Amino acid sequence: MELIGHLQLGFAAAAGAQNLLACFTGALLGTLIGVLPGLGPVATIALLLPLTYGLPPLTALIMLAGIYYGAQYGGSTTSILLNLPGEASSVVTCRDGHPLAKQGRAGTALAVAALGSFFAGCVGTLFLAACAPLLMRFALDFGPAEYCSLMLFGLSGAVAIASRSLLKSLAMVVLGLLLGLIGTDANSGVARYTFGLRELDDGVGTTVLAVGVFGFAELLHGLEHACRRTPAMRPCGRLWPDRADTRRAVPAVLRGTALGTLLGLLPGAGALLPAFASYALEKACARDPARFGQGAIEGVAGPESANNAAAQTAFIPMLTLGIPSNAIMALMIGALTLHDIQPGPQVIVHDPVLFWGLVASMWIGNAMLLVLNLPLIGLWVRLLATPYRLLYPAILLFCCLGLYALANRTGDLYLAALFGLLGYLLQKSGCETVPLLLGFVLGPLFEEHLRRALLLARGDASVFLQRPLSLALLLAALALILGA
C-alpha cells in the first residue's frame, strides 16, 4: 500500500503539463539520437546540461532521462536496416537484425525490438520503484574482484557469441583489448601506444571505433557490391511477428529483461554488457545455435530487452547511493548538483516528489516511445528501397557530423576512416567485429579492477577464487567458453 501511495504521488507530479512536455521532448530527442549514428546520448546530455539550469529539478531530470532510455529504442533502427548501430549497445542487434532485414522481415524485427524494449522498460521501472533498497544490497556486494570477474565473464561472452571461428573471435577480443589500452595510463600517467600522437593521449573513443568498424566498413562493403544491386534491401510489408516468431521472441524478452535488470545495477556495465550477455544467453539456450547470425529473432528480442531494462535500473545506484553506474548517470548527478541536490539515500526521504516523479515519468516515457516508434516503422522500412547512390552519401554525412560534434576534432574522422578500412579487411578475412568492440569497451575496465583487486589483496591472485561471487562468475565464464 505504501508503494501505491508513492506511485500516486509520482504520477501526480509527472503528469504536469511542463513535465509531460519534457518527457516527450526527451523521448523524441533520444529516438533521433539513437537513429543517427555517431551522436550518442552522452554528448547530447552534456550539451543540454547547462540549459537545464533554468528548469525545475524534476523537469530537467525527466527530460535527460528520456534522452537516455529513448536512445536505447532508436539505436536498433539503423542496426536492423543498415547494419549501422546508432548506439553502442545496439551493436549486437546488427548480427541478426540486419540479416532479417535482408530477408524482407525488417518490419517484424523493428516491431519485436520496440515491443520488447517497451516491456523491459516497464519491468525495469517497476524494479526501480519496488526493489531499489534490496537490489542495492546486491550491488554493494561487488568489490574489485567481483567486477574483474564480471568483466572477464563479459569478454567470454564476446567469444561465445561468435558464429564463425572461435579462434578468430578470441583474436578479435584481444585486438579490442589492445586498442583499449591506447592513451594515458590512469595509474602512472604514462602515455601508452600513442606513437607520439597527442591526439591519442585521451585514447580512442568508443563511438569513433564503432562508427569506423561498422559504419564506414559497411559503406565500403556496400560500394564493392553496388554494381550488383540497386536497392539497399528488399522492402517489407509485414509488421507483426507470426506465431513462430512470437514463440521464440517472448522467452527471449523475459530472459533479457531479467538479465538487464540485474546487470544495470553494476557500475561500468552500462547497457552494452547486458546486451552482449543476453545474446550469449540466447545462443546458449537455443536448440539450433547455428541460426544466430543468420536472422534469429531471439538475437534481436533478447539484447534489445536487456539494454532497455538496464537503462532503467541504472538509476538505482545513482539515486539511492549517489554512485554513477555509467557516464550518463554521472551527468545526471551533475544535473542534480546544479540544482543544489545531493544524490544519495536522503533524496527519497527529503525529496520524495523528485524520486517518485522521475520513476513515474519512466512509465509515461516508455509509453510515449512505443507510440512514437511503432507508427514510424513503415517510414523506416521505406528507406530500404532507397538507391545506394543516394543512401550512402547521406549515411557518410551523418556519421561525420556525429563524430565531429563529439569533440570538434578532425582527427576523430581520420581515425574512424582508418578503423573503417580495418573493419572492411576484417570482414573480408571472415572475422567478426562485434567481439572487437566488446573487448575494447571492457578491456580498460578489466585492467582497472584487476589492478585494484591485486593491490588490495597485496598481490594474492587467489582472492578471485576465495570470494564466492567472483568464483561463480569465473565458473560461468569458463562454461561460456567450453560451450561455445
Side-chain angles (χ1 to χ4, degrees), residues 49-202:
L49 195 57
L51 301 180
T52 63
Y53 184 74
L55 298 174
L58 177 58
T59 305
L61 275 183
I62 286 175
M63 185 178 70
L64 297 179
I67 292 173
Y68 177 41
Y69 55 77
Q72 309 305 321
Y73 269 76
S76 62
T77 302
T78 49
S79 296
I80 292 170
L81 298 181
L82 302 171
N83 199 32
L84 179 61
E87 257 294 288
S89 58
S90 299
V91 166
V92 71
T93 308
C94 294
R95 299 195 74 249
D96 285 283
H98 192 58
L100 283 170
K102 287 183 175 180
Q103 296 166 16
R105 302 173 63 199
T108 300
L110 289 169
V112 166
L115 293 170
S117 298
F118 172 72
F119 175 79
C122 290
V123 172
T125 306
L126 180 62
F127 266 78
L128 172 60
C131 306
L134 178 63
L135 292 176
M136 275 316 304
R137 292 192 196 101
F138 170 75
L140 287 174
D141 288 338
F142 270 68
E146 285 77 13
Y147 279 118
C148 182
S149 300
L150 177 67
M151 299 306 155
L152 192 61
F153 173 76
L155 293 171
S156 303
V159 177
I161 66 175
S163 60
R164 301 175 188 171
S165 168
L166 184 65
L167 183 62
K168 288 183 178 179
S169 179
L170 184 61
M172 290 298 97
V173 171
V174 173
L175 179 59
L177 288 169
L178 293 176
L179 290 174
L181 295 177
I182 295 175
T184 304
D185 179 22
N187 292 285
S188 64
V190 176
R192 303 182 299 185
Y193 308 114
T194 61
F195 303 100
L197 299 175
R198 295 180 60 86
E199 292 82 359
L200 294 178
D201 284 349
D202 293 331

Side-chain angles (χ1 to χ4, degrees), residues 305-317:
S305 301
N307 65 33
N308 278 275
Q312 314 296 321
T313 55
F315 284 86
I316 293 177

Side-chain angles (χ1 to χ4, degrees), residues 141-152 446 448-454 456-457 460-471 473-474:
D141 288 338
F142 270 68
E146 285 77 13
Y147 279 118
C148 182
S149 300
L150 177 67
M151 299 306 155
L152 192 61
F446 174 74
E448 176 189 348
H449 293 299
L450 176 64
R451 284 184 170 185
R452 190 174 300 167
L454 291 176
L456 292 175
D460 184 8
S462 65
V463 66
F464 299 104
L465 303 177
Q466 293 171 358
R467 298 178 67 92
L469 201 51
S470 174
L471 178 61
L473 288 168
L474 289 176

